[in-house]
Amino acid sequence: MTRLHTPRWAWVLTGSGHFFVECFELIRSLDHCDVFVTKAADEVLRMYGLKLDFSDTTRVLRDKTASAVPVGEFYHGVYHSVVIAPATSNTVAKCVAGISDTIATNVYAQAGKCRLPSIVFACDTAPELETMAPHGMVKVYPRPIDLENTERLKAFEYTEVVESFADLKLAVARRKGVVEGSG
C-alpha cells in the first residue's frame, strides 16, 4: 500500500464551467493533490464530457456525505494549500456568509479554521464576461451582488481571490514555490 504523501494540495471543483478544462491542466501540474468534487461539478463534468483522469498521486473525493467527512483531514496536517477553481457565485456567496453546507464551502471553512492559504478563482469578477460553455463561448452578466461578494471575499484572512486564469496560474506557481521552498 502506498503511503499518502503529506502535506498535499486541496483543489475544489465547483459547478462552474469557467476555465474548467484549463483548471484540469493546472491540477495535473501539481504533485500530491486531492481534488474535491462538488455535486454540481459532477454535473459540469458530464456536460463537458470530461473524466477525472489524474496521476496516481492525485486522489478524487466526491461530495457524498452531509458533513463532508474528508475535511477532517485538515486538522491532521494533510493539506498545505487550498485552491477553489473555478468558484461559482453560489460558492463565493456561501463562503462570504460563513455557510459551509457543501464540500466546497466546508473545505474553505476548515482551511480558514486551520489558517491554511486559500486561492479562490471567482467566476464573477466583471460586469460583463465571456466564458466557454459546453457548446461554445457565451456572454455572462454577473449580478451586482455577485460582484460585491467577490470583493468581500478579498478581505478574508488567508484568502487570495484571483480574477483571471492567468492570475490563477501565477498564484498557484507562487504558492508552489513557497511550499517547495519550505520542504
Side-chain angles (χ1 to χ4, degrees):
M1 176 177 235
T2 305
R3 188 167 184 270
L4 181 69
H5 179 276
T6 56
R8 306 172 62 75
W9 292 87
W11 191 296
V12 181
L13 294 172
T14 72
S16 171
H18 191 63
F19 289 94
F20 200 78
V21 174
E22 292 85 349
C23 285
F24 274 44
E25 293 311 311
L26 269 179
I27 293 167
R28 287 185 182 105
S29 75
L30 303 174
D31 290 327
H32 312 293
C33 184
D34 286 353
V35 179
F36 293 82
V37 182
T38 65
K39 291 175 184 173
D42 261 334
E43 292 173 359
V44 173
L45 285 164
R46 286 191 297 279
M47 288 187 325
Y48 281 81
L50 296 171
K51 303 272 188 252
L52 296 168
D53 55 346
F54 301 113
S55 75
D56 60 357
T57 67
T58 302
R59 294 189 305 174
V60 174
L61 305 164
R62 286 190 154 81
D63 197 356
K64 297 205 182 272
T65 63
S67 61
V69 174
V71 300
E73 291 186 339
F74 278 86
Y75 294 98
H76 302 289
V78 173
Y79 301 104
H80 57 65
S81 310
V82 170
V83 180
I84 303 175
T88 62
S89 59
N90 185 52
T91 297
V92 170
K94 287 181 175 186
C95 289
V96 167
I99 298 169
S100 54
D101 63 350
T102 67
I103 201 165
T105 55
N106 210 333
V107 163
Y108 180 75
Q110 302 319 308
K113 291 176 184 181
C114 294
R115 296 182 173 170
L116 292 178
S118 294
I119 301 166
V120 180
F121 178 30
C123 299
D124 295 328
T125 58
E128 183 177 319
L129 301 164
E130 283 195 19
T131 190
M132 182 60 73
H135 303 293
M137 294 299 287
V138 295
K139 278 208 182 260
V140 179
Y141 305 93
R143 304 169 302 170
I145 189 66
D146 300 326
L147 300 172
E148 290 168 21
N149 284 331
T150 297
E151 284 303 311
R152 285 185 187 122
L153 192 60
K154 290 177 182 179
F156 280 53
E157 277 189 298
Y158 306 103
T159 302
E160 178 180 0
V161 176
V162 297
E163 297 188 4
S164 70
F165 185 71
D167 288 344
L168 174 62
K169 287 185 352 185
L170 288 172
V172 169
R174 275 193 309 274
R175 185 67 193 143
K176 191 175 183 181
V178 168
V179 169
E180 290 174 357
S182 67

